[in-house]
């Protein structure tokens, strides 16, 4: 795994990373922002299992990659897993464009990805999808109820009819024996007539039930048509607003052709500009995209949504109804002179405070209000109730000579009483510090003459940063003990 | 402390790296859903009212972010909702502006960041899943970085290494890139929900913070990225922006949909060191001045821009 060829890197960087693997410190800096971990075979095996799953194979490649990335696999591991699992041909992916296929894909992705985080971007699209489902459920319920109702009605009407018919026959039979002798041939006739009537009634019933079925299916069809029309209308709304936007723009903006993956993912025909959401595996259909409905990103659905301003909800509902807010003006914000020269800079760029390697200790309080450092700048203006007591503590601390305030520009909140300062220091010492110290030691011991400027800068910085932070820690703890004394005395 | 009332909802605020008393504000009409936008350039003044507008630029679509040039003191770059990236020269009157408009992104451009070390290029992050690298005087982008599977909410340059940047995306990953490399060099699955913002530690070039829809801020060291250095809890809703202090090593400022702006020190036990509740709607923009230590600004959907010194109450007069 360590010999995994890094063919995509230019020679100098690959040399550098090889050197790092050999323990050298040259250009170690460059590889800090790169993965230097070896490839983990167990992760690759998991990835292969995932990729070999038949449901996963139908999903777009970018979603598979994104899933593996979120599981913590490195690029190399993902590439290796893809290499080992034969990729389905692109034509397979594009072939899955039918509605059913897309819905199946959506269902698969949801099933395969563990914990499909139900990130709801904004309420309206989810409302809309929920609205859809609700609608469908309602429709099915209504149809079932009507079917049951007609069945019951038919039964109820059929049985009385039968009964009355039977009673009629019984009455006729009763009156028959009187005329039996004469009525024999007529009885036969009557029997025939009765049979005819029975068959007629049966056919009537059959016809009626058939009509019922027809009306039911018609109703269902009508409802589906309605849903389709609604969807078409929404599409038109969206495309209209998009067209408006595009018309206002420069014509050399070629609409981006979205990959087949994204078209497969959603399920509706769309213009290139529409967003196909991925949203952590939960497939929220963004139908109401006449406006930027993905703004702002909302918290997870399992916790409460942040209360949006009322006017925000008003505007969202306006957009969904297809209305445009009336306060929008037509503005031409294209450059009047695209070849306008950049101005001559009047001031030279200033050095950044962090270029000097350590945080500045400047405490100037002269000049305009924005430069005046609050003598109580340690107190950040707590507004929480717990903080108020700390604020009071800090206020009492201002009775302390300004010397301490000048030495430290801010005071941390009151920690519990420190019994053993040495232990407190050991706990407080942040872990990265140890790492930086190690690097400093390693760098110092390295005697290569060809060390880069950046490396020098880094070691200098680490040293100063390390010392500075250490100083900070020690004085912090000393200060805290003093503060406690003050606090206790003050109380 | 001065307050500026904008006509539209605030989205972003940035201090100028050249002038201590100057800042730019990006705003959008109708909460950025649909409508125009406006860029304000504000000047802080010693006497009342404290902050005044020196110039403003109208745009056809929402402005989601703005960034000052590090090479030209009067130039700023804007990220717009119609996918365009526009360059404005504040030394020219509004009718002569913008001086450039680049239409390449297919979706809203959510953030723009100017390179503070090389000073010759800037990055834009867009909801079309890509990050683009630009130079001001070139007519087209230099590179497009396309790896994220969802909206990229922010791309930020490393303050020490001019070729390295980080991107935060709705696909829940944080990616580290080097412009000399063909693709991302690290992928950190930072949160279980969308990552809305990221920023580098100015004093430790391997440390960066991410903020997410899951209400937390996580601090990472790229050298051991499997687990975060710290997880900062305290916000009640999604954390929209996070910013490392330019003056203090471990100080982080953040703003959230819980309408508050918080200050954190990730190296101490009780990390929350300050909290400001001055906004009455989502707090979405925050910045800390590089030139004046302790000076902060924030903006939110309540159309207000506050500028204050740490330790002062932003609403105090």
């Amino acid at each position: 795994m360590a010999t995994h060829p890094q063919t995509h890197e230019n020679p100098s960087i690959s040399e550098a990373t090889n050197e790092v693997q050999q323990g050298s410190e040259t250009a170690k800096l460059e590889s800090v922002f790169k993965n230097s971990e070896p490839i983990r075979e167990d992760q690759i095996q998991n990835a292969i299992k995932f990729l070999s799953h038949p449901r996963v194979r139908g999903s777009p490649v970018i979603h598979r990659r994104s899933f593996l990335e979120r599981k913590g696999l490195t690029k190399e591991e993902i590439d290796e897993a893809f290499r080992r699992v034969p990729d389905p041909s692109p034509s397979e992916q594009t072939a899955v464009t039918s509605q059913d296929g897309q819905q199946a894909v959506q269902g698969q992705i949801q099933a395969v990805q563990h914990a499909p985080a139900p990130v709801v971007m904004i309420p309206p699209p989810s409302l809309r999808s929920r609205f859809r489902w609700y609608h469908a459920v309602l429709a099915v319920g209504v149809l079932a109820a009507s079917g049951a109702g007609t069945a019951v009605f038919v039964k109820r009407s059929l049985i009385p009819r039968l009964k009355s018919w039977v009673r009629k026959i019984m009455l006729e039979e009763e009156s028959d024996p009187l005329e039996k002798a004469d009525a024999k041939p007529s009885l036969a006739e009557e029997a025939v007539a009765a049979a005819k009537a029975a068959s007629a009634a049966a056919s009537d019933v059959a016809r009626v039930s058939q009509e019922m079925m027809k009306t039911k299916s018609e109703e269902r069809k009508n409802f589906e048509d309605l849903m389709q029309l609604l969807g078409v209308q929404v599409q038109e709304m969206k495309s209209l607003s998009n067209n408006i936007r595009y018309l206002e723009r420069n014509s050399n903006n070629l609409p981006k052709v979205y990959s087949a993956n994204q078209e497969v993912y959603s399920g509706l025909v769309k213009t290139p500009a529409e967003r196909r959401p991925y949203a952590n595996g939960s497939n929220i259909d963004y139908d109401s995209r006449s406006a930027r409905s993905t703004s702002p990103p909302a918290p997870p659905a399992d916790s409460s949504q942040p209360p949006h301003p009322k006017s925000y909800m008003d505007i969202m509902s306006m957009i969904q109804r297809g209305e445009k807010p009336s306060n929008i003006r037509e503005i031409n914000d294209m450059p009047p002179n695209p070849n306008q020269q950049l101005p001559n800079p009047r001031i030279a760029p200033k050095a950044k405070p962090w270029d000097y390697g350590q945080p500045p200790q400047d405490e100037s309080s002269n000049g305009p209000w924005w430069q005046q450092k609050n003598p109580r700048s340690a107190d950040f203006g707590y507004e929480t109730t717990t903080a108020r007591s700390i604020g009071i503590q800090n206020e009492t601390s201002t009775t302390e000579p300004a010397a301490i305030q000048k030495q430290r520009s801010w005071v941390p909140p009151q920690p519990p009483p420190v019994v053993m300062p040495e232990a407190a220091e050991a706990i407080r010492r942040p872990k990265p510090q140890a790492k930086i110290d190690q690097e400093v030691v390693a760098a110092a011991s390295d005697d290569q003459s060809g060390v880069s400027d950046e490396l020098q800068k880094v070691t200098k910085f680490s040293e100063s940063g390390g010392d500075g932070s250490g100083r900070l820690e020690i004085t912090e703890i000393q200060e805290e003990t003093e503060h406690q004394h003050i606090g206790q005395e003050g109380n | 402390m001065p307050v500026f009332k904008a006509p539209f909802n605030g989205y972003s605020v940035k201090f100028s790296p050249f002038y201590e008393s100057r800042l730019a504000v990006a705003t959008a009409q109708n909460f950025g859903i649909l409508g125009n936008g406006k860029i304000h350039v504000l000047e802080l003044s010693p006497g009342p009212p404290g902050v005044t507008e020196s110039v403003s630029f109208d745009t056809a679509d929402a402005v989601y972010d703005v960034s000052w040039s590090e090479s030209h003191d009067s130039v700023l770059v804007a990220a717009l909702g119609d996918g365009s990236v526009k360059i404005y020269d504040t030394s020219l009157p509004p009718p002569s502006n913008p001086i450039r408009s680049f239409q390449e992104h297919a979706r809203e451009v959510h953030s723009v960041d100017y390179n503070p070390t090389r000073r010759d290029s800037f990055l834009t992050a867009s909801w079309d899943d890509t990050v683009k690298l630009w130079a001001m005087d070139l007519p087209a982008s230099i590179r497009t970085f396309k790896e994220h599977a969802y909206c990229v909410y922010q791309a930020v340059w490393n303050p020490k290494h001019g070729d390295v940047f980080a991107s935060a995306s709705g696909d829940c990953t944080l990616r580290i890139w080097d412009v000399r490399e063909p693709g991302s060099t690290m992928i950190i699955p930072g949160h279980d929900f969308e990552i809305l913002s990221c920023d580098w530690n100015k004093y430790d070039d391997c440390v960066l913070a991410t903020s997410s829809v899951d209400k937390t801020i996580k601090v990472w060291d790229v050298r051991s990225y499997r687990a975060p250095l710290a997880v900062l809890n305290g916000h009640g809703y999604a954390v929209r922006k996070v910013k490392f202090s330019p003056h203090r090593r471990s100080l982080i400022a953040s703003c959230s949909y819980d309408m508050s702006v918080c200050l954190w020190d990730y190296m101490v036990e009780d990390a929350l060191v300050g909290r400001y509740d001055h906004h009455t709607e989502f707090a979405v923009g925050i910045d800390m001045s590089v030139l004046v230590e302790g000076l902060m600004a924030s903006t939110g959907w309540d159309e207000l821009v506050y500028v204050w010194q740490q330790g002062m109450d932003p609403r105090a007069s």
Side-chain angles (χ1 to χ4, degrees):
Chain A
M1 302 308 154
T3 56
H4 175 69
Q6 290 164 330
T7 53
H8 60 278
E9 299 175 19
N10 61 53
S12 64
I13 302 292
S14 60
E15 271 173 38
T17 46
N18 285 336
E19 283 175 356
V20 166
Q21 289 165 2
Q22 293 161 14
S24 157
E25 293 300 331
T26 307
K28 177 181 161 68
L29 186 68
E30 302 305 326
S31 69
V32 163
F33 299 108
K34 225 184 278 282
N35 258 326
S36 47
E37 291 174 1
I39 295 180
R40 299 164 291 175
E41 188 59 34
D42 56 336
Q43 295 288 341
I44 296 184
Q45 288 306 321
N46 290 338
I48 291 171
K49 278 186 214 143
F50 166 73
L51 292 172
S52 310
H53 197 282
R55 289 182 161 190
V56 175
R57 280 168 160 261
S59 68
V61 175
I62 186 131
H63 294 152
R64 289 182 247 167
R65 283 197 81 99
S66 183
F67 176 79
L68 293 173
E69 282 165 4
R70 287 177 47 214
K71 291 298 166 197
L73 271 73
T74 64
K75 235 190 210 176
E76 291 84 13
E77 289 162 356
I78 296 174
D79 289 339
E80 181 63 26
F82 268 97
R83 212 166 302 156
R84 294 192 196 175
V85 174
D87 227 9
S89 59
S91 56
E92 275 184 44
Q93 291 172 4
T94 52
V96 187
T97 49
S98 65
Q99 276 274 5
D100 296 334
Q102 284 154 351
Q103 285 170 4
V105 162
Q106 291 173 5
Q108 288 159 17
I109 292 176
Q110 275 180 340
V112 166
Q113 285 172 347
H114 310 295
V119 172
V120 177
M121 288 299 278
I122 61 158
S126 61
L127 266 177
R128 189 158 283 254
S129 60
R130 277 205 293 269
F131 181 62
R132 263 247 202 99
W133 281 113
Y134 175 77
H135 227 203
V137 165
L138 193 67
V140 165
V142 162
L143 283 168
S146 66
T150 52
V152 166
F153 176 75
V154 162
K155 271 191 203 162
R156 287 207 184 132
S157 61
L158 191 65
I159 287 174
R161 245 209 237 171
L162 269 172
K163 277 189 184 165
S164 63
W165 184 71
V166 166
R167 249 185 248 123
K168 218 171 62 175
I169 291 181
M170 293 295 284
L171 284 170
E172 286 174 358
E173 278 181 5
E174 282 173 11
S175 60
D176 262 352
L178 299 172
E179 311 161 353
K180 223 178 188 176
D182 319 315
K184 258 193 191 158
S186 62
L187 197 71
E189 284 175 17
E190 276 180 18
V192 164
K196 272 194 207 160
S199 67
S203 65
D204 272 344
V205 165
R207 205 174 4 104
V208 163
S209 62
Q210 241 182 27
E211 281 175 15
M212 290 284 179
M213 293 291 291
K214 241 195 286 174
T215 51
K216 227 200 277 185
S217 61
E218 273 175 22
E219 267 180 50
R220 208 174 277 146
K221 239 196 293 170
N222 284 339
F223 177 70
E224 279 174 10
D225 286 344
L226 195 73
M227 291 298 291
Q228 269 183 20
L229 282 173
L230 270 176
V232 165
Q233 270 195 4
V234 169
Q235 287 300 319
E236 281 180 18
M237 260 170 41
K238 267 189 280 184
S239 62
L240 267 175
S241 67
N242 281 329
N243 284 340
I244 289 170
R245 262 195 246 148
Y246 272 119
L247 280 171
E248 288 171 358
R249 256 182 240 134
N250 214 346
S251 59
N252 55 8
N253 170 33
L254 295 168
K256 184 171 166 189
V257 176
Y258 266 44
S259 66
N261 297 334
Q262 287 179 315
E263 296 209 42
V264 164
Y265 178 82
S266 172
L268 298 165
V269 178
K270 51 215 154 278
T271 65
E274 286 173 23
R275 166 104 246 139
R276 283 313 125 215
Y278 167 51
N280 312 334
S282 66
N283 311 315
I284 299 164
D285 205 350
Y286 280 58
D287 265 341
S288 61
R289 286 286 305 144
S290 58
R292 273 182 285 277
S293 52
T294 51
S295 143
D302 54 349
S303 67
S304 56
Q305 295 266 356
H308 284 63
K310 180 180 178 295
S311 40
Y312 174 89
M313 303 310 295
D314 290 342
I315 292 170
M316 285 303 295
S317 51
M318 258 176 86
I319 303 286
Q320 280 171 355
R321 287 196 301 264
E323 299 167 20
K324 205 169 152 182
S326 53
N327 52 2
I328 301 176
R329 283 169 37 213
E330 284 297 317
I331 294 177
N332 176 15
D333 58 0
M334 294 315 290
N337 176 9
N339 301 318
Q340 176 77 42
Q341 276 187 357
L342 288 168
N344 285 327
R346 284 180 293 178
I347 305 184
K350 302 191 172 179
K352 303 290 175 197
W354 57 81
D355 286 339
Y356 302 124
Q358 353 179 9
Q361 305 292 321
D362 187 27
E363 293 274 341
S364 67
S365 57
N366 296 324
W369 61 266
W370 61 82
Q371 280 177 346
Q372 276 176 17
K373 290 189 67 62
N374 184 4
R376 290 194 298 115
S377 68
D379 174 11
F380 290 109
Y382 276 111
E383 308 239 351
T384 57
T385 47
T386 51
R388 218 165 279 141
S389 55
I390 298 169
I392 293 166
Q393 293 270 12
N394 281 340
E395 276 172 24
T396 57
S397 76
T398 52
T399 58
E400 192 67 353
I404 287 182
Q405 291 295 342
K406 280 207 182 113
Q407 187 184 8
R408 299 268 333 282
S409 41
W410 65 277
V411 177
Q414 200 74 346
V418 178
V419 177
M420 291 181 57
E422 303 85 9
E425 186 194 323
I427 293 165
R428 285 295 178 92
R429 214 166 171 76
K431 280 182 197 149
Q433 218 46 22
K435 260 204 172 176
I436 292 174
D437 290 340
Q438 285 172 11
E439 286 172 10
V440 168
V441 166
S445 63
D446 192 351
D447 232 1
Q448 289 203 8
S449 54
V451 89
S452 66
D453 285 347
E454 282 179 295
L455 180 59
Q456 280 175 339
K457 252 198 256 170
V458 164
T459 49
K460 260 192 230 152
F461 150 71
S462 308
E463 285 167 0
S464 60
D467 291 346
S469 174
R471 241 185 287 126
L472 214 69
E473 302 276 328
I474 295 165
T475 51
E476 173 186 316
I477 291 154
Q478 284 174 353
E479 277 243 12
E480 283 157 11
T481 51
E482 286 177 19
H483 272 284
Q484 286 152 42
H485 294 315
I486 295 159
Q488 285 160 10
E489 284 171 80
N491 287 343
Chain B
M1 296 293 112
V3 183
F4 173 75
K5 171 84 171 65
F8 299 154
N9 308 100
Y11 258 85
S12 172
V13 60
K14 293 274 173 76
F15 283 101
S16 164
F18 289 95
Y19 301 105
E20 287 178 353
S21 56
R22 185 174 297 182
L23 57 152
V25 186
T27 65
Q29 201 180 24
N30 299 324
F31 304 97
I33 303 170
L34 186 68
N36 309 127
K38 209 162 167 121
I39 301 165
H40 302 267
V41 179
L42 307 180
E43 289 290 334
L44 303 173
S45 49
V51 62
T52 50
E53 175 185 287
S54 65
V55 70
S56 73
F57 304 106
D58 289 303
T59 58
D61 210 330
V63 188
Y64 285 151
D65 197 12
V66 74
S67 177
W68 288 98
S69 163
E70 297 273 349
S71 54
H72 295 73
D73 58 297
S74 61
V75 173
L76 53 83
V77 189
L80 273 75
D82 58 5
S84 70
V85 178
K86 291 182 160 50
I87 301 188
Y88 289 84
D89 182 357
T90 59
S91 62
L92 297 176
S96 309
N97 269 295
I99 57 174
R100 298 281 188 278
S101 178
F102 307 114
Q103 189 76 45
E104 280 192 30
H105 279 295
R107 289 288 311 276
E108 292 81 342
V109 189
H110 196 85
S111 98
V112 58
D113 189 41
Y114 209 97
N115 194 322
T117 40
R118 291 213 185 284
R119 302 197 168 104
D120 60 356
S121 49
F122 59 92
L123 291 168
T124 53
S126 166
W127 290 0
D128 66 1
D129 313 348
T130 67
V131 175
K132 280 185 190 277
L133 173 68
W134 313 76
M136 277 205 298
D137 45 359
L138 292 179
S141 61
I142 303 170
R143 273 195 66 181
T144 301
F145 303 93
K146 185 171 167 56
E147 272 187 35
H148 279 294
Y150 200 46
C151 308
V152 189
Y153 291 115
Q154 194 166 12
V156 191
W157 288 107
N158 186 297
K160 283 239 157 46
H161 306 288
D163 296 315
V164 176
F165 68 93
S167 62
S169 165
D171 67 3
C172 314
T173 62
L174 169 74
R175 272 173 217 254
I176 314 290
W177 310 74
D178 188 322
V179 299
R180 298 163 294 190
E181 298 287 326
S184 63
T185 57
M186 285 181 96
I187 302 168
I188 302 176
H191 294 259
D192 288 330
F193 295 98
E194 297 188 79
I195 305 181
L196 304 182
S197 174
C198 61
D199 194 29
W200 293 91
N201 187 324
K202 311 295 187 284
Y203 293 91
D204 191 338
D205 55 344
C206 297
V207 173
L208 68 163
T210 56
S211 76
S212 167
V213 168
D214 67 3
K215 313 177 210 168
T216 67
I217 298 163
K218 291 190 186 174
V219 184
W220 305 87
D221 187 326
V222 298
R223 293 163 294 202
S224 55
Y225 67 94
R226 292 278 169 208
L229 291 179
V231 179
L232 308 177
N233 293 294
H235 275 300
Y237 290 109
V239 187
R240 181 64 183 249
K241 220 160 232 172
V242 70
K243 191 102 180 127
F244 259 103
S245 163
H247 295 94
R248 289 174 195 167
R249 188 196 183 86
S250 56
L251 190 66
I252 299 173
S254 66
C255 64
S256 158
Y257 286 167
D258 67 1
M259 307 182 197
S260 73
V261 171
C262 286
L263 283 171
W264 314 78
D265 182 333
Y266 73 93
M267 284 191 174
V268 303
E269 278 299 303
D270 196 5
L272 182 65
V273 297
R275 190 188 178 95
Y276 305 94
D277 280 300
H278 47 285
H279 283 291
T280 56
E281 288 298 346
F282 292 173
V284 295
I286 190 166
D287 196 22
M288 305 176 83
S289 172
V290 171
L291 300 174
V292 181
E293 179 168 356
L295 191 63
M296 305 179 54
S298 74
T299 185
W301 280 12
D302 54 1
E303 303 170 356
L304 298 172
V305 180
Y306 287 90
V307 187
W308 75 101
Q309 261 285 350
Q310 285 167 21
M312 311 285 273
D313 181 358
R315 280 177 292 200
S317 48

